[in-house]
């Protein structure tokens, strides 16, 4: 098991005082078969008047909090200690043809086949969502995906090639897009960041009738040889999972043309970024604001067996 301490700092500075703030945070990593949460601490300043924990619709742990006193700055620091197992993904060529996966999901959702629990869950990821619009552009995404999804090709093999195609043909450029940039613009301009490439891959998969979901989390980035690890140099990351009948959810990282390994730490998943953004809410006042975000992922020794830690 590989163990990491993750620090995610967010600071909002407002041009005028905020009188009331209600926020939801997706900052506690999910516990999963291949990922164990050893400890987590969320520090909020100013101290919120209300605070609670719950699971959202997708099963992600969330913290909701409210600030009722005037403030000109909001700071949220999440520190998590997470262990990640090496994931053995299935052999892509052994998955069923992609058309069979599409038809299986379509028939189950239309009532022409028994609706299994996993198909019911996957079905919600088959359709358009706020950040993955499927209107006039659907045929364009389907045509792009068709370069990989040739007739009879195994689903996971085609998905792997689509991930590599996006990596090869789209340029990573942090200054090119924002959270609100539509997928159609990313596709036309051929540049963006991990969020954009994940949304594009999801749009391509859904345009073919397949179920695809968005995963947010962190990625351990290695410094150049001989250089120290830079504090705050890591960033939030995003990747994609496609549903394959008989296998389940299989993940792909189109930003790096790879399948997630032990350096990928899962925070949350949903239909798109809007379902899992680390911090979102509504405020009364504030006018303009500036946000500073810094993420650090540090490898650390795993805790002793059965020991649970509160990050320092």
């Amino acid at each position: 098991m590989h163990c990491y301490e993750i620090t995610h700092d967010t600071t909002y500075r407002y041009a005028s005082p905020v009188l009331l703030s209600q926020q939801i945070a997706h900052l506690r990593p999910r516990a999963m078969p291949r990922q164990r949460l050893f400890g987590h601490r969320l520090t909020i300043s100013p101290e919120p008047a209300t605070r609670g924990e719950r699971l959202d619709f997708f099963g992600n742990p969330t913290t909701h909090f409210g600030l009722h006193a005037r403030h000109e700055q909001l700071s949220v620091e999440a520190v998590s200690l997470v262990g990640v197992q090496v994931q053995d993904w299935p052999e892509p060529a052994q998955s069923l043809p992609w058309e069979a996966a599409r038809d299986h999901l379509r028939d189950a959702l239309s009532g022409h086949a028994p609706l299994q629990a996993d198909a019911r869950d996957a079905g919600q990821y088959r359709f358009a969502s706020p950040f993955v619009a499927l209107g006039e552009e659907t045929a364009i995404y389907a045509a792009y995906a068709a370069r990989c999804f040739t007739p009879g090709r195994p689903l996971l093999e085609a998905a792997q090639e689509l991930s590599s195609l996006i990596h090869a043909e789209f340029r990573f450029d942090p200054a090119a897009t924002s959270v609100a940039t539509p997928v159609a613009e990313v596709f036309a301009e051929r540049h963006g960041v991990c969020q954009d490439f994940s949304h594009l891959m999801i749009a391509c998969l859904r345009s073919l009738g397949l179920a695809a979901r968005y995963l947010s989390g962190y990625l351990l980035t290695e410094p150049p040889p001989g250089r120290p690890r830079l504090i705050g140099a890591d960033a939030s990351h995003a990747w994609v999972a496609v549903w394959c009948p008989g296998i389940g959810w299989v993940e792909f990282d189109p930003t790096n043309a790879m399948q997630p390994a032990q350096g990928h730490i899962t925070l949350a998943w949903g239909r798109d970024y809007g379902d899992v953004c680390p911090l979102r809410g509504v405020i009364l006042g504030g006018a303009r604001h500036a946000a500073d975000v810094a993420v650090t992922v540090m490898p650390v020794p795993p805790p002793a067996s059965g020991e649970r830690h509160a990050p320092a």
Side-chain angles (χ1 to χ4, degrees):
M1 175 178 287
H2 296 257
C3 197
Y4 307 99
E5 184 174 274
I6 304 140
T7 303
H8 189 146
D9 279 315
T10 306
T11 301
Y12 286 99
R13 295 180 176 86
Y14 304 103
S16 64
V18 172
L19 306 180
L20 179 68
S21 176
Q22 296 288 341
Q23 303 287 335
I24 298 176
H26 286 93
L27 288 168
R28 182 185 182 95
R30 287 188 74 125
M32 308 182 303
R34 70 178 182 92
Q35 179 172 291
R36 183 175 178 186
L37 182 63
F38 291 107
H40 175 76
R41 185 188 72 243
L42 187 67
T43 304
I44 304 166
S45 179
E47 184 70 24
T50 62
R51 176 171 173 165
E53 312 284 334
R54 66 176 178 85
L55 297 180
D56 68 9
F57 177 81
F58 303 100
N60 303 306
T62 66
T63 301
H64 51 92
F65 60 92
L67 294 94
H68 301 166
R70 292 166 61 96
H71 57 282
E72 296 181 0
Q73 179 173 306
L74 169 63
S75 298
V76 180
E77 181 193 58
V79 182
S80 305
L81 187 62
V82 181
V84 181
Q85 299 279 8
V86 176
Q87 176 69 47
D88 294 323
W89 298 110
E91 178 60 40
Q94 295 179 356
S95 58
L96 77 174
W98 72 267
E99 300 98 331
R102 175 200 62 197
D103 296 345
H104 176 91
L105 188 59
R106 180 198 63 203
D107 292 345
L109 293 177
S110 65
H112 294 100
L115 183 58
Q116 303 298 324
D118 58 345
R120 181 186 299 109
D121 175 70
Q124 65 190 318
Y125 301 101
R126 183 172 174 251
F127 306 103
S129 56
F131 281 79
V132 184
L134 294 177
E136 298 177 356
E137 304 88 0
T138 304
I140 298 174
Y141 302 142
Y144 185 76
R147 296 166 61 180
C148 308
F149 285 78
T150 52
R153 191 171 193 189
L155 168 60
L156 300 182
E157 187 178 278
Q160 188 172 60
E161 184 172 328
L162 176 61
S163 173
S164 297
L165 184 65
I166 293 171
H167 172 77
E169 296 192 349
F170 289 76
R171 177 169 55 89
F172 186 86
D173 184 356
T177 59
S178 71
V179 170
T181 302
V183 178
E185 183 177 327
V186 173
F187 184 79
E189 299 296 331
R190 290 296 201 272
H191 56 199
V193 294
C194 56
Q195 170 190 306
D196 301 309
F197 304 151
S198 297
H199 282 155
L200 174 59
M201 185 169 176
I202 290 170
C204 290
L205 293 166
R206 291 179 184 171
S207 72
L208 299 176
L210 299 167
R213 68 187 180 193
Y214 181 102
L215 290 92
S216 72
Y218 307 105
L219 174 65
L220 176 69
T221 55
E222 297 295 339
R227 298 285 298 276
R229 183 177 303 279
L230 299 177
I231 302 300
D234 298 288
S236 297
H237 195 52
W239 60 99
V240 175
V242 62
W243 185 70
C244 183
I247 294 177
W249 292 99
V250 181
E251 300 172 18
F252 297 91
D253 180 353
T255 304
N256 297 290
M258 64 182 293
Q259 290 192 266
Q262 64 268 18
H264 287 71
I265 302 104
T266 302
L267 193 57
W269 62 59
R271 298 166 301 166
D272 56 35
Y273 172 80
D275 289 331
V276 298
C277 56
L279 192 64
R280 76 171 186 269
V282 294
I283 61 174
L284 177 62
R288 299 182 309 278
H289 73 270
D292 295 319
V293 180
V295 174
T296 302
V297 181
M298 294 290 292
V300 295
S305 179
E307 187 176 0
R308 186 173 181 85
H309 283 235

